[in-house]
Short mmCIF file of all heavy atoms in Angstrom, two decimals:
data_model
loop_
_atom_site.label_atom_id
_atom_site.label_comp_id
_atom_site.label_asym_id
_atom_site.label_seq_id
_atom_site.Cartn_x
_atom_site.Cartn_y
_atom_site.Cartn_z
N ARG A 261 9.36 20.33 -11.13
CA ARG A 261 8.87 18.98 -11.16
C ARG A 261 7.35 18.94 -10.75
O ARG A 261 6.88 17.95 -10.16
CB ARG A 261 9.74 18.05 -10.29
CG ARG A 261 11.08 17.89 -10.93
CD ARG A 261 12.19 17.67 -9.83
NE ARG A 261 13.49 17.50 -10.48
CZ ARG A 261 14.27 18.51 -10.79
NH1 ARG A 261 13.87 19.80 -10.54
NH2 ARG A 261 15.48 18.31 -11.40
N ALA A 262 6.65 19.99 -11.04
CA ALA A 262 5.23 20.17 -10.63
C ALA A 262 4.43 19.04 -11.27
O ALA A 262 3.33 18.78 -10.74
CB ALA A 262 4.78 21.56 -10.94
N SER A 263 4.80 18.46 -12.36
CA SER A 263 3.97 17.44 -12.95
C SER A 263 4.06 16.16 -12.14
O SER A 263 3.23 15.23 -12.34
CB SER A 263 4.46 17.14 -14.37
OG SER A 263 5.80 16.57 -14.34
N GLN A 264 4.95 16.12 -11.13
CA GLN A 264 5.05 14.88 -10.35
C GLN A 264 4.78 15.12 -8.85
O GLN A 264 4.11 14.36 -8.24
CB GLN A 264 6.52 14.32 -10.52
CG GLN A 264 6.78 13.87 -11.89
CD GLN A 264 8.28 13.50 -12.06
OE1 GLN A 264 9.14 14.41 -12.25
NE2 GLN A 264 8.50 12.28 -12.26
N VAL A 265 5.32 16.26 -8.30
CA VAL A 265 5.19 16.52 -6.89
C VAL A 265 3.87 17.18 -6.64
O VAL A 265 3.44 18.20 -7.31
CB VAL A 265 6.28 17.33 -6.32
CG1 VAL A 265 6.09 17.72 -4.90
CG2 VAL A 265 7.64 16.67 -6.54
N GLU A 266 3.09 16.71 -5.64
CA GLU A 266 1.82 17.34 -5.24
C GLU A 266 1.79 18.13 -4.05
O GLU A 266 1.00 19.10 -3.90
CB GLU A 266 0.75 16.23 -5.19
CG GLU A 266 0.35 15.57 -6.46
CD GLU A 266 1.00 14.24 -6.72
OE1 GLU A 266 1.63 13.79 -5.75
OE2 GLU A 266 0.95 13.71 -7.83
N VAL A 267 2.53 17.69 -3.06
CA VAL A 267 2.52 18.36 -1.76
C VAL A 267 3.96 18.59 -1.19
O VAL A 267 4.84 17.70 -1.39
CB VAL A 267 1.72 17.42 -0.65
CG1 VAL A 267 1.46 18.22 0.66
CG2 VAL A 267 0.42 16.94 -1.21
N VAL A 268 4.10 19.62 -0.49
CA VAL A 268 5.39 19.99 0.10
C VAL A 268 5.27 20.26 1.63
O VAL A 268 4.31 20.98 1.96
CB VAL A 268 6.04 21.24 -0.61
CG1 VAL A 268 7.35 21.56 0.06
CG2 VAL A 268 6.10 21.03 -2.09
N ASN A 269 6.16 19.73 2.42
CA ASN A 269 6.11 19.94 3.81
C ASN A 269 7.29 20.86 4.23
O ASN A 269 8.40 20.63 3.91
CB ASN A 269 6.28 18.58 4.64
CG ASN A 269 6.03 18.85 6.14
OD1 ASN A 269 4.91 18.68 6.59
ND2 ASN A 269 7.09 19.19 6.89
N MET A 270 7.04 21.87 5.01
CA MET A 270 8.02 22.86 5.52
C MET A 270 7.94 22.94 7.01
O MET A 270 7.00 23.73 7.51
CB MET A 270 7.81 24.21 4.83
CG MET A 270 7.94 24.22 3.34
SD MET A 270 7.81 25.81 2.59
CE MET A 270 6.06 26.39 3.09
N SER A 271 8.69 22.24 7.69
CA SER A 271 8.72 22.27 9.17
C SER A 271 9.81 23.13 9.68
O SER A 271 10.71 22.69 10.39
CB SER A 271 8.74 20.84 9.73
OG SER A 271 7.53 20.18 9.54
N PHE A 272 9.74 24.41 9.32
CA PHE A 272 10.77 25.44 9.75
C PHE A 272 10.14 26.80 9.65
O PHE A 272 9.01 26.91 9.04
CB PHE A 272 12.02 25.33 8.92
CG PHE A 272 11.87 25.52 7.47
CD1 PHE A 272 11.75 26.72 6.89
CD2 PHE A 272 11.71 24.32 6.59
CE1 PHE A 272 11.54 26.93 5.51
CE2 PHE A 272 11.47 24.48 5.24
CZ PHE A 272 11.34 25.74 4.68
N GLY A 273 10.83 27.81 10.22
CA GLY A 273 10.26 29.08 10.18
C GLY A 273 11.10 30.13 10.81
O GLY A 273 12.09 29.89 11.43
N CYS A 274 10.67 31.42 10.70
CA CYS A 274 11.36 32.54 11.38
C CYS A 274 10.43 33.70 11.44
O CYS A 274 9.29 33.65 10.85
CB CYS A 274 12.66 32.95 10.64
SG CYS A 274 12.31 33.49 8.96
N GLY A 275 10.80 34.76 12.07
CA GLY A 275 10.04 36.03 12.17
C GLY A 275 10.32 36.88 11.03
O GLY A 275 11.12 36.62 10.11
N VAL A 276 9.84 38.16 11.11
CA VAL A 276 10.08 39.16 10.05
C VAL A 276 11.54 39.53 9.84
O VAL A 276 11.86 40.00 8.82
CB VAL A 276 9.22 40.47 10.33
CG1 VAL A 276 7.69 40.20 10.26
CG2 VAL A 276 9.57 41.03 11.64
N GLU A 277 12.32 39.24 10.83
CA GLU A 277 13.75 39.67 10.73
C GLU A 277 14.45 38.91 9.60
O GLU A 277 15.43 39.41 9.07
CB GLU A 277 14.47 39.31 12.05
CG GLU A 277 14.65 37.90 12.39
CD GLU A 277 13.51 37.16 13.04
OE1 GLU A 277 12.39 37.87 13.23
OE2 GLU A 277 13.57 35.94 13.27
N CYS A 278 13.94 37.79 9.22
CA CYS A 278 14.62 37.08 8.08
C CYS A 278 13.82 37.18 6.77
O CYS A 278 14.22 36.46 5.86
CB CYS A 278 14.81 35.61 8.50
SG CYS A 278 13.30 34.58 8.41
N ILE A 279 12.84 38.06 6.71
CA ILE A 279 12.10 38.17 5.50
C ILE A 279 12.33 39.54 4.86
O ILE A 279 12.66 39.63 3.67
CB ILE A 279 10.56 38.10 5.78
CG1 ILE A 279 10.29 36.62 6.30
CG2 ILE A 279 9.81 38.34 4.50
CD1 ILE A 279 10.57 35.56 5.33
N GLY A 280 12.46 40.56 5.66
CA GLY A 280 12.64 41.90 5.10
C GLY A 280 11.36 42.61 4.69
O GLY A 280 10.23 42.16 4.94
N GLU A 281 11.46 43.74 4.01
CA GLU A 281 10.37 44.54 3.64
C GLU A 281 9.46 43.76 2.63
O GLU A 281 8.29 43.89 2.50
CB GLU A 281 10.74 45.91 3.10
CG GLU A 281 11.42 46.76 4.14
CD GLU A 281 11.79 48.10 3.59
OE1 GLU A 281 11.50 48.33 2.38
OE2 GLU A 281 12.40 48.93 4.33
N LYS A 282 10.09 43.05 1.73
CA LYS A 282 9.43 42.24 0.76
C LYS A 282 9.81 40.83 0.98
O LYS A 282 10.80 40.48 1.53
CB LYS A 282 9.83 42.73 -0.67
CG LYS A 282 9.32 44.13 -1.03
CD LYS A 282 9.55 44.38 -2.52
CE LYS A 282 9.02 45.76 -2.86
NZ LYS A 282 9.21 46.07 -4.33
N ALA A 283 8.99 39.97 0.53
CA ALA A 283 9.15 38.46 0.73
C ALA A 283 9.28 37.72 -0.50
O ALA A 283 8.30 37.19 -1.10
CB ALA A 283 7.99 38.01 1.51
N PRO A 284 10.53 37.49 -1.03
CA PRO A 284 10.70 36.67 -2.29
C PRO A 284 10.27 35.25 -2.00
O PRO A 284 9.88 34.59 -2.93
CB PRO A 284 12.21 36.85 -2.52
CG PRO A 284 12.79 37.27 -1.22
CD PRO A 284 11.80 38.07 -0.53
N PHE A 285 10.43 34.73 -0.71
CA PHE A 285 10.03 33.40 -0.48
C PHE A 285 8.46 33.25 -0.60
O PHE A 285 8.07 32.28 -1.17
CB PHE A 285 10.40 33.10 1.00
CG PHE A 285 10.33 31.67 1.41
CD1 PHE A 285 10.35 30.65 0.44
CD2 PHE A 285 10.27 31.25 2.75
CE1 PHE A 285 10.24 29.35 0.78
CE2 PHE A 285 10.11 29.97 3.19
CZ PHE A 285 10.18 28.98 2.14
N GLN A 286 7.81 34.26 -0.18
CA GLN A 286 6.28 34.22 -0.36
C GLN A 286 5.94 34.26 -1.87
O GLN A 286 5.06 33.46 -2.26
CB GLN A 286 5.67 35.40 0.34
CG GLN A 286 4.09 35.44 0.34
CD GLN A 286 3.58 36.47 1.16
OE1 GLN A 286 4.21 37.46 1.66
NE2 GLN A 286 2.21 36.46 1.29
N GLU A 287 6.63 35.05 -2.62
CA GLU A 287 6.38 35.13 -4.07
C GLU A 287 6.69 33.78 -4.73
O GLU A 287 5.94 33.25 -5.60
CB GLU A 287 7.28 36.25 -4.67
CG GLU A 287 6.98 36.48 -6.20
CD GLU A 287 7.83 37.52 -6.78
OE1 GLU A 287 8.27 38.36 -5.92
OE2 GLU A 287 7.86 37.57 -7.96
N ALA A 288 7.79 33.16 -4.31
CA ALA A 288 8.16 31.87 -4.94
C ALA A 288 7.11 30.81 -4.64
O ALA A 288 6.69 30.05 -5.52
CB ALA A 288 9.46 31.49 -4.30
N ILE A 289 6.62 30.76 -3.37
CA ILE A 289 5.61 29.77 -3.05
C ILE A 289 4.30 30.06 -3.79
O ILE A 289 3.62 29.12 -4.28
CB ILE A 289 5.39 29.76 -1.45
CG1 ILE A 289 6.55 29.17 -0.83
CG2 ILE A 289 4.06 28.98 -1.13
CD1 ILE A 289 6.48 29.12 0.67
N ALA A 290 3.99 31.31 -3.97
CA ALA A 290 2.66 31.65 -4.71
C ALA A 290 2.80 31.18 -6.20
O ALA A 290 1.77 30.59 -6.69
CB ALA A 290 2.51 33.19 -4.66
N LYS A 291 3.92 31.34 -6.85
CA LYS A 291 4.05 30.91 -8.16
C LYS A 291 4.11 29.39 -8.28
O LYS A 291 3.60 28.74 -9.22
CB LYS A 291 5.34 31.42 -8.75
CG LYS A 291 5.24 32.93 -9.03
CD LYS A 291 6.46 33.52 -9.68
CE LYS A 291 6.29 35.01 -9.94
NZ LYS A 291 7.48 35.60 -10.56
N SER A 292 4.56 28.73 -7.21
CA SER A 292 4.58 27.24 -7.15
C SER A 292 3.18 26.73 -6.98
O SER A 292 2.79 25.73 -7.62
CB SER A 292 5.48 26.83 -6.04
OG SER A 292 5.63 25.39 -6.10
N VAL A 293 2.35 27.44 -6.08
CA VAL A 293 0.97 27.03 -5.93
C VAL A 293 0.20 27.13 -7.28
O VAL A 293 -0.68 26.33 -7.56
CB VAL A 293 0.28 27.90 -4.85
CG1 VAL A 293 -1.18 27.69 -4.78
CG2 VAL A 293 0.97 27.52 -3.45
N ASP A 294 0.61 28.20 -8.15
CA ASP A 294 -0.10 28.35 -9.41
C ASP A 294 0.10 27.06 -10.25
O ASP A 294 -0.73 26.79 -11.07
CB ASP A 294 0.50 29.49 -10.09
CG ASP A 294 0.11 30.90 -9.50
OD1 ASP A 294 -0.87 30.86 -8.83
OD2 ASP A 294 0.81 31.87 -9.78
N LYS A 295 1.20 26.30 -9.94
CA LYS A 295 1.46 25.12 -10.75
C LYS A 295 0.77 23.84 -10.19
O LYS A 295 0.92 22.76 -10.67
CB LYS A 295 2.96 24.81 -10.84
CG LYS A 295 3.76 25.97 -11.49
CD LYS A 295 3.50 26.06 -12.94
CE LYS A 295 4.46 26.98 -13.59
NZ LYS A 295 4.28 27.04 -15.12
N GLY A 296 -0.02 24.07 -9.07
CA GLY A 296 -0.80 22.95 -8.49
C GLY A 296 -0.05 22.23 -7.39
O GLY A 296 -0.32 21.04 -7.12
N ILE A 297 0.85 22.90 -6.68
CA ILE A 297 1.54 22.24 -5.55
C ILE A 297 1.00 22.76 -4.24
O ILE A 297 0.81 24.04 -4.16
CB ILE A 297 3.03 22.48 -5.64
CG1 ILE A 297 3.62 21.87 -6.97
CG2 ILE A 297 3.75 21.84 -4.48
CD1 ILE A 297 5.08 22.11 -7.14
N VAL A 298 0.69 21.91 -3.32
CA VAL A 298 0.22 22.32 -2.00
C VAL A 298 1.29 22.44 -1.03
O VAL A 298 2.12 21.61 -0.94
CB VAL A 298 -0.81 21.21 -1.45
CG1 VAL A 298 -1.56 21.77 -0.20
CG2 VAL A 298 -1.87 20.86 -2.55
N TYR A 299 1.32 23.47 -0.23
CA TYR A 299 2.36 23.74 0.78
C TYR A 299 1.82 23.73 2.20
O TYR A 299 0.71 24.30 2.48
CB TYR A 299 3.08 25.08 0.54
CG TYR A 299 4.05 24.99 -0.60
CD1 TYR A 299 3.59 25.19 -1.94
CD2 TYR A 299 5.40 24.89 -0.31
CE1 TYR A 299 4.53 25.08 -3.01
CE2 TYR A 299 6.34 24.80 -1.44
CZ TYR A 299 5.86 24.91 -2.69
OH TYR A 299 6.81 24.85 -3.72
N VAL A 300 2.53 22.99 3.10
CA VAL A 300 2.13 22.89 4.48
C VAL A 300 3.33 23.38 5.33
O VAL A 300 4.45 23.02 5.01
CB VAL A 300 1.77 21.43 4.81
CG1 VAL A 300 1.45 21.37 6.34
CG2 VAL A 300 0.67 20.92 3.93
N ALA A 301 3.02 24.20 6.37
CA ALA A 301 4.10 24.67 7.19
C ALA A 301 3.74 24.54 8.60
O ALA A 301 2.60 24.67 9.08
CB ALA A 301 4.38 26.15 6.85
N ALA A 302 4.81 24.35 9.50
CA ALA A 302 4.66 24.33 10.92
C ALA A 302 4.36 25.71 11.38
O ALA A 302 5.02 26.70 10.95
CB ALA A 302 5.94 23.81 11.53
N ALA A 303 3.39 25.90 12.33
CA ALA A 303 3.04 27.16 12.88
C ALA A 303 4.15 27.89 13.67
O ALA A 303 4.19 29.11 13.74
CB ALA A 303 1.79 27.11 13.67
N GLY A 304 5.10 27.05 14.25
CA GLY A 304 6.10 27.64 15.04
C GLY A 304 5.93 27.28 16.52
O GLY A 304 4.88 26.96 17.01
N ASN A 305 7.07 27.35 17.29
CA ASN A 305 7.07 26.96 18.65
C ASN A 305 7.40 28.15 19.65
O ASN A 305 8.08 28.04 20.58
CB ASN A 305 8.16 25.89 18.88
CG ASN A 305 8.02 24.67 17.94
OD1 ASN A 305 6.84 24.39 17.63
ND2 ASN A 305 9.04 24.11 17.50
#
Side-chain angles (χ1 to χ4, degrees):
R261 293 152 180 81
S263 64
Q264 295 169 288
V265 177
E266 290 100 9
V267 190
V268 179
N269 189 93
M270 301 183 296
S271 287
F272 55 84
C274 62
V276 292
E277 72 278 359
C278 71
I279 298 296
E281 294 181 2
K282 292 188 177 181
F285 192 20
Q286 183 174 12
E287 182 178 344
I289 289 176
K291 290 182 178 178
S292 189
V293 170
D294 288 340
K295 299 290 187 179
I297 300 177
V298 189
Y299 282 81
V300 180
N305 305 329

